[in-house]
mmCIF file of all heavy atoms in Angstrom:
data_model
loop_
_atom_site.group_PDB
_atom_site.id
_atom_site.type_symbol
_atom_site.label_atom_id
_atom_site.label_comp_id
_atom_site.label_asym_id
_atom_site.label_seq_id
_atom_site.Cartn_x
_atom_site.Cartn_y
_atom_site.Cartn_z
ATOM 1 N N LEU A 3 94.946 72.025 115.964
ATOM 2 C CA LEU A 3 93.757 72.710 116.452
ATOM 3 C C LEU A 3 92.943 71.705 117.256
ATOM 4 O O LEU A 3 92.504 70.687 116.727
ATOM 5 C CB LEU A 3 92.934 73.240 115.281
ATOM 6 C CG LEU A 3 91.540 73.799 115.593
ATOM 7 C CD1 LEU A 3 91.637 75.018 116.494
ATOM 8 C CD2 LEU A 3 90.816 74.147 114.302
ATOM 9 N N GLN A 4 92.781 71.995 118.542
ATOM 10 C CA GLN A 4 92.001 71.120 119.408
ATOM 11 C C GLN A 4 90.735 71.835 119.833
ATOM 12 O O GLN A 4 90.790 72.914 120.412
ATOM 13 C CB GLN A 4 92.804 70.710 120.645
ATOM 14 C CG GLN A 4 92.048 69.760 121.564
ATOM 15 C CD GLN A 4 92.904 69.268 122.724
ATOM 16 O OE1 GLN A 4 94.104 69.494 122.752
ATOM 17 N NE2 GLN A 4 92.270 68.589 123.672
ATOM 18 N N SER A 5 89.596 71.255 119.529
ATOM 19 C CA SER A 5 88.315 71.867 119.898
ATOM 20 C C SER A 5 87.975 71.507 121.335
ATOM 21 O O SER A 5 88.593 70.639 121.947
ATOM 22 C CB SER A 5 87.211 71.386 118.952
ATOM 23 O OG SER A 5 87.040 69.981 119.062
ATOM 24 N N LYS A 6 86.957 72.150 121.882
ATOM 25 C CA LYS A 6 86.603 71.941 123.284
ATOM 26 C C LYS A 6 86.100 70.528 123.566
ATOM 27 O O LYS A 6 86.140 70.071 124.709
ATOM 28 C CB LYS A 6 85.555 72.965 123.721
ATOM 29 C CG LYS A 6 84.234 72.890 122.968
ATOM 30 C CD LYS A 6 83.301 73.976 123.464
ATOM 31 C CE LYS A 6 81.959 73.938 122.712
ATOM 32 N NZ LYS A 6 81.044 74.997 123.200
ATOM 33 N N ASP A 7 85.661 69.815 122.507
ATOM 34 C CA ASP A 7 85.222 68.434 122.715
ATOM 35 C C ASP A 7 86.365 67.430 122.558
ATOM 36 O O ASP A 7 86.150 66.216 122.606
ATOM 37 C CB ASP A 7 84.076 68.084 121.753
ATOM 38 C CG ASP A 7 84.491 68.181 120.288
ATOM 39 O OD1 ASP A 7 85.690 68.410 120.021
ATOM 40 O OD2 ASP A 7 83.619 68.033 119.417
ATOM 41 N N GLY A 8 87.585 67.943 122.364
ATOM 42 C CA GLY A 8 88.750 67.067 122.277
ATOM 43 C C GLY A 8 89.157 66.682 120.877
ATOM 44 O O GLY A 8 90.218 66.079 120.686
ATOM 45 N N ALA A 9 88.347 66.993 119.871
ATOM 46 C CA ALA A 9 88.700 66.658 118.490
ATOM 47 C C ALA A 9 89.967 67.406 118.087
ATOM 48 O O ALA A 9 90.147 68.580 118.420
ATOM 49 C CB ALA A 9 87.545 67.018 117.554
ATOM 50 N N LEU A 10 90.853 66.713 117.351
ATOM 51 C CA LEU A 10 92.155 67.268 117.014
ATOM 52 C C LEU A 10 92.360 67.293 115.504
ATOM 53 O O LEU A 10 92.147 66.291 114.819
ATOM 54 C CB LEU A 10 93.256 66.435 117.666
ATOM 55 C CG LEU A 10 94.653 67.051 117.736
ATOM 56 C CD1 LEU A 10 94.656 68.255 118.656
ATOM 57 C CD2 LEU A 10 95.651 66.002 118.231
ATOM 58 N N ILE A 11 92.764 68.454 114.989
ATOM 59 C CA ILE A 11 93.112 68.604 113.573
ATOM 60 C C ILE A 11 94.580 68.996 113.503
ATOM 61 O O ILE A 11 95.012 69.926 114.191
ATOM 62 C CB ILE A 11 92.255 69.692 112.896
ATOM 63 C CG1 ILE A 11 90.775 69.317 112.918
ATOM 64 C CG2 ILE A 11 92.727 69.931 111.466
ATOM 65 C CD1 ILE A 11 89.863 70.426 112.427
ATOM 66 N N THR A 12 95.338 68.288 112.693
ATOM 67 C CA THR A 12 96.760 68.599 112.520
ATOM 68 C C THR A 12 97.027 68.955 111.071
ATOM 69 O O THR A 12 96.585 68.262 110.151
ATOM 70 C CB THR A 12 97.639 67.402 112.909
ATOM 71 O OG1 THR A 12 97.413 67.082 114.290
ATOM 72 C CG2 THR A 12 99.117 67.725 112.711
ATOM 73 N N GLU A 13 97.737 70.052 110.859
ATOM 74 C CA GLU A 13 98.100 70.497 109.513
ATOM 75 C C GLU A 13 99.619 70.618 109.413
ATOM 76 O O GLU A 13 100.273 71.105 110.334
ATOM 77 C CB GLU A 13 97.461 71.854 109.197
ATOM 78 C CG GLU A 13 95.952 71.842 109.119
ATOM 79 C CD GLU A 13 95.420 71.215 107.830
ATOM 80 O OE1 GLU A 13 96.242 70.951 106.921
ATOM 81 O OE2 GLU A 13 94.206 71.003 107.756
ATOM 82 N N ASP A 14 100.156 70.149 108.283
ATOM 83 C CA ASP A 14 101.588 70.251 108.009
ATOM 84 C C ASP A 14 101.808 71.064 106.739
ATOM 85 O O ASP A 14 101.108 70.856 105.744
ATOM 86 C CB ASP A 14 102.208 68.860 107.825
ATOM 87 C CG ASP A 14 102.214 68.055 109.110
ATOM 88 O OD1 ASP A 14 103.101 68.294 109.942
ATOM 89 O OD2 ASP A 14 101.331 67.185 109.277
ATOM 90 N N ARG A 15 102.771 71.963 106.790
ATOM 91 C CA ARG A 15 103.139 72.759 105.617
ATOM 92 C C ARG A 15 104.662 72.858 105.562
ATOM 93 O O ARG A 15 105.291 73.530 106.375
ATOM 94 C CB ARG A 15 102.533 74.173 105.696
ATOM 95 C CG ARG A 15 101.022 74.224 105.673
ATOM 96 C CD ARG A 15 100.457 73.829 104.322
ATOM 97 N NE ARG A 15 99.014 74.022 104.270
ATOM 98 C CZ ARG A 15 98.110 73.161 104.711
ATOM 99 N NH1 ARG A 15 98.523 72.023 105.271
ATOM 100 N NH2 ARG A 15 96.819 73.410 104.621
ATOM 101 N N ALA A 16 105.253 72.173 104.612
ATOM 102 C CA ALA A 16 106.706 72.153 104.488
ATOM 103 C C ALA A 16 107.229 73.452 103.885
ATOM 104 O O ALA A 16 106.509 74.171 103.188
ATOM 105 C CB ALA A 16 107.137 70.968 103.620
ATOM 106 N N PHE A 17 108.509 73.752 104.144
ATOM 107 C CA PHE A 17 109.157 74.885 103.501
ATOM 108 C C PHE A 17 109.386 74.567 102.026
ATOM 109 O O PHE A 17 109.682 73.430 101.663
ATOM 110 C CB PHE A 17 110.532 75.161 104.118
ATOM 111 C CG PHE A 17 110.523 75.463 105.587
ATOM 112 C CD1 PHE A 17 111.636 75.170 106.357
ATOM 113 C CD2 PHE A 17 109.426 76.042 106.201
ATOM 114 C CE1 PHE A 17 111.655 75.450 107.711
ATOM 115 C CE2 PHE A 17 109.428 76.325 107.549
ATOM 116 C CZ PHE A 17 110.554 76.022 108.312
ATOM 117 N N ALA A 18 109.294 75.574 101.189
ATOM 118 C CA ALA A 18 109.672 75.398 99.784
ATOM 119 C C ALA A 18 111.186 75.273 99.667
ATOM 120 O O ALA A 18 111.695 74.504 98.838
ATOM 121 C CB ALA A 18 109.177 76.580 98.954
ATOM 122 N N ILE A 19 111.920 76.017 100.505
ATOM 123 C CA ILE A 19 113.389 75.951 100.499
ATOM 124 C C ILE A 19 113.878 75.746 101.931
ATOM 125 O O ILE A 19 114.162 74.624 102.331
ATOM 126 C CB ILE A 19 114.009 77.230 99.880
ATOM 127 C CG1 ILE A 19 113.534 77.403 98.431
ATOM 128 C CG2 ILE A 19 115.548 77.151 99.940
ATOM 129 C CD1 ILE A 19 113.995 78.694 97.771
ATOM 130 N N ASN A 20 113.974 76.818 102.699
ATOM 131 C CA ASN A 20 114.429 76.693 104.084
ATOM 132 C C ASN A 20 113.668 77.600 105.040
ATOM 133 O O ASN A 20 114.070 77.771 106.184
ATOM 134 C CB ASN A 20 115.929 76.973 104.172
ATOM 135 C CG ASN A 20 116.304 78.385 103.724
ATOM 136 O OD1 ASN A 20 115.451 79.270 103.622
ATOM 137 N ND2 ASN A 20 117.570 78.604 103.437
ATOM 138 N N GLY A 21 112.590 78.182 104.577
ATOM 139 C CA GLY A 21 111.778 79.061 105.416
ATOM 140 C C GLY A 21 112.020 80.534 105.188
ATOM 141 O O GLY A 21 111.148 81.356 105.467
ATOM 142 N N PHE A 22 113.181 80.891 104.669
ATOM 143 C CA PHE A 22 113.483 82.302 104.415
ATOM 144 C C PHE A 22 112.842 82.821 103.137
ATOM 145 O O PHE A 22 112.761 84.032 102.933
ATOM 146 C CB PHE A 22 115.004 82.503 104.342
ATOM 147 C CG PHE A 22 115.615 83.002 105.616
ATOM 148 C CD1 PHE A 22 115.169 82.534 106.849
ATOM 149 C CD2 PHE A 22 116.635 83.934 105.606
ATOM 150 C CE1 PHE A 22 115.729 82.976 108.033
ATOM 151 C CE2 PHE A 22 117.208 84.395 106.778
ATOM 152 C CZ PHE A 22 116.751 83.919 107.995
ATOM 153 N N GLU A 23 112.395 81.921 102.288
ATOM 154 C CA GLU A 23 111.913 82.342 100.972
ATOM 155 C C GLU A 23 110.690 83.251 101.043
ATOM 156 O O GLU A 23 110.530 84.156 100.219
ATOM 157 C CB GLU A 23 111.600 81.120 100.093
ATOM 158 C CG GLU A 23 110.536 80.180 100.635
ATOM 159 C CD GLU A 23 111.064 79.136 101.603
ATOM 160 O OE1 GLU A 23 112.251 79.217 101.988
ATOM 161 O OE2 GLU A 23 110.290 78.241 101.980
ATOM 162 N N GLY A 24 109.825 83.039 102.026
ATOM 163 C CA GLY A 24 108.601 83.838 102.108
ATOM 164 C C GLY A 24 108.865 85.311 102.283
ATOM 165 O O GLY A 24 108.265 86.156 101.604
ATOM 166 N N GLN A 25 109.764 85.665 103.196
ATOM 167 C CA GLN A 25 110.047 87.076 103.428
ATOM 168 C C GLN A 25 110.796 87.701 102.255
ATOM 169 O O GLN A 25 110.630 88.889 101.977
ATOM 170 C CB GLN A 25 110.823 87.262 104.723
ATOM 171 C CG GLN A 25 112.211 86.663 104.729
ATOM 172 C CD GLN A 25 112.958 86.921 106.024
ATOM 173 O OE1 GLN A 25 112.491 87.661 106.899
ATOM 174 N NE2 GLN A 25 114.125 86.318 106.178
ATOM 175 N N LEU A 26 111.597 86.907 101.541
ATOM 176 C CA LEU A 26 112.309 87.445 100.383
ATOM 177 C C LEU A 26 111.341 87.752 99.243
ATOM 178 O O LEU A 26 111.438 88.804 98.606
ATOM 179 C CB LEU A 26 113.373 86.457 99.900
ATOM 180 C CG LEU A 26 114.511 86.161 100.871
ATOM 181 C CD1 LEU A 26 115.539 85.229 100.231
ATOM 182 C CD2 LEU A 26 115.180 87.433 101.320
ATOM 183 N N VAL A 27 110.434 86.837 98.989
ATOM 184 C CA VAL A 27 109.427 87.066 97.960
ATOM 185 C C VAL A 27 108.578 88.283 98.314
ATOM 186 O O VAL A 27 108.270 89.119 97.459
ATOM 187 C CB VAL A 27 108.546 85.814 97.779
ATOM 188 C CG1 VAL A 27 107.353 86.114 96.876
ATOM 189 C CG2 VAL A 27 109.363 84.664 97.200
ATOM 190 N N GLU A 28 108.217 88.407 99.591
ATOM 191 C CA GLU A 28 107.417 89.551 100.043
ATOM 192 C C GLU A 28 108.171 90.853 99.836
ATOM 193 O O GLU A 28 107.623 91.834 99.320
ATOM 194 C CB GLU A 28 107.068 89.376 101.523
ATOM 195 C CG GLU A 28 106.457 90.599 102.194
ATOM 196 C CD GLU A 28 105.039 90.897 101.758
ATOM 197 O OE1 GLU A 28 104.459 90.098 100.994
ATOM 198 O OE2 GLU A 28 104.497 91.946 102.195
ATOM 199 N N ALA A 29 109.432 90.892 100.236
ATOM 200 C CA ALA A 29 110.210 92.124 100.117
ATOM 201 C C ALA A 29 110.359 92.557 98.674
ATOM 202 O O ALA A 29 110.144 93.730 98.339
ATOM 203 C CB ALA A 29 111.586 91.934 100.759
ATOM 204 N N VAL A 30 110.716 91.622 97.800
ATOM 205 C CA VAL A 30 110.914 91.962 96.389
ATOM 206 C C VAL A 30 109.602 92.420 95.751
ATOM 207 O O VAL A 30 109.579 93.357 94.944
ATOM 208 C CB VAL A 30 111.512 90.773 95.630
ATOM 209 C CG1 VAL A 30 111.513 91.023 94.120
ATOM 210 C CG2 VAL A 30 112.942 90.500 96.108
ATOM 211 N N ALA A 31 108.487 91.777 96.118
ATOM 212 C CA ALA A 31 107.187 92.185 95.579
ATOM 213 C C ALA A 31 106.821 93.595 96.022
ATOM 214 O O ALA A 31 106.320 94.405 95.227
ATOM 215 C CB ALA A 31 106.112 91.191 96.018
ATOM 216 N N CYS A 32 107.065 93.913 97.285
ATOM 217 C CA CYS A 32 106.772 95.262 97.790
ATOM 218 C C CYS A 32 107.627 96.305 97.074
ATOM 219 O O CYS A 32 107.133 97.370 96.680
ATOM 220 C CB CYS A 32 107.026 95.327 99.295
ATOM 221 S SG CYS A 32 105.835 94.435 100.319
ATOM 222 N N ILE A 33 108.900 95.999 96.904
ATOM 223 C CA ILE A 33 109.811 96.932 96.233
ATOM 224 C C ILE A 33 109.374 97.150 94.790
ATOM 225 O O ILE A 33 109.381 98.283 94.290
ATOM 226 C CB ILE A 33 111.257 96.396 96.306
ATOM 227 C CG1 ILE A 33 111.739 96.395 97.765
ATOM 228 C CG2 ILE A 33 112.193 97.247 95.441
ATOM 229 C CD1 ILE A 33 113.000 95.593 97.995
ATOM 230 N N ALA A 34 108.964 96.078 94.106
ATOM 231 C CA ALA A 34 108.514 96.191 92.716
ATOM 232 C C ALA A 34 107.283 97.076 92.590
ATOM 233 O O ALA A 34 107.097 97.759 91.572
ATOM 234 C CB ALA A 34 108.226 94.799 92.157
ATOM 235 N N ARG A 35 106.451 97.075 93.638
ATOM 236 C CA ARG A 35 105.242 97.913 93.624
ATOM 237 C C ARG A 35 105.516 99.329 94.099
ATOM 238 O O ARG A 35 104.597 100.152 94.157
ATOM 239 C CB ARG A 35 104.162 97.277 94.497
ATOM 240 C CG ARG A 35 103.617 95.953 93.978
ATOM 241 C CD ARG A 35 102.358 95.546 94.723
ATOM 242 N NE ARG A 35 102.617 95.268 96.137
ATOM 243 C CZ ARG A 35 102.848 94.061 96.634
ATOM 244 N NH1 ARG A 35 102.887 93.007 95.819
ATOM 245 N NH2 ARG A 35 103.061 93.893 97.933
ATOM 246 N N GLY A 36 106.753 99.625 94.468
ATOM 247 C CA GLY A 36 107.096 100.959 94.929
ATOM 248 C C GLY A 36 106.669 101.250 96.359
ATOM 249 O O GLY A 36 106.565 102.414 96.755
ATOM 250 N N GLU A 37 106.421 100.215 97.138
ATOM 251 C CA GLU A 37 105.985 100.389 98.525
ATOM 252 C C GLU A 37 107.191 100.531 99.450
ATOM 253 O O GLU A 37 108.262 99.994 99.177
ATOM 254 C CB GLU A 37 105.115 99.204 98.947
ATOM 255 C CG GLU A 37 103.841 99.096 98.125
ATOM 256 C CD GLU A 37 103.090 97.791 98.324
ATOM 257 O OE1 GLU A 37 103.620 96.901 99.029
ATOM 258 O OE2 GLU A 37 101.991 97.650 97.764
ATOM 259 N N ILE A 38 107.007 101.211 100.561
ATOM 260 C CA ILE A 38 108.117 101.408 101.491
ATOM 261 C C ILE A 38 107.993 100.531 102.738
ATOM 262 O O ILE A 38 108.876 100.553 103.594
ATOM 263 C CB ILE A 38 108.265 102.885 101.904
ATOM 264 C CG1 ILE A 38 107.048 103.357 102.704
ATOM 265 C CG2 ILE A 38 108.497 103.767 100.688
ATOM 266 C CD1 ILE A 38 107.243 104.732 103.333
ATOM 267 N N GLU A 39 106.937 99.748 102.834
ATOM 268 C CA GLU A 39 106.800 98.808 103.944
ATOM 269 C C GLU A 39 105.925 97.641 103.530
ATOM 270 O O GLU A 39 105.207 97.699 102.530
ATOM 271 C CB GLU A 39 106.217 99.487 105.185
ATOM 272 C CG GLU A 39 104.817 100.023 105.019
ATOM 273 C CD GLU A 39 104.305 100.718 106.282
ATOM 274 O OE1 GLU A 39 104.441 100.152 107.388
ATOM 275 O OE2 GLU A 39 103.773 101.838 106.154
#
């Protein structure tokens, strides 16, 4: 994130596994709640 005065903020967030885990957890949670999307 670079502000208009040039200040820079950098954030790093590693994968827990390989990046696919987020959508799998989301899908299973939605299915458990009986949601269709």
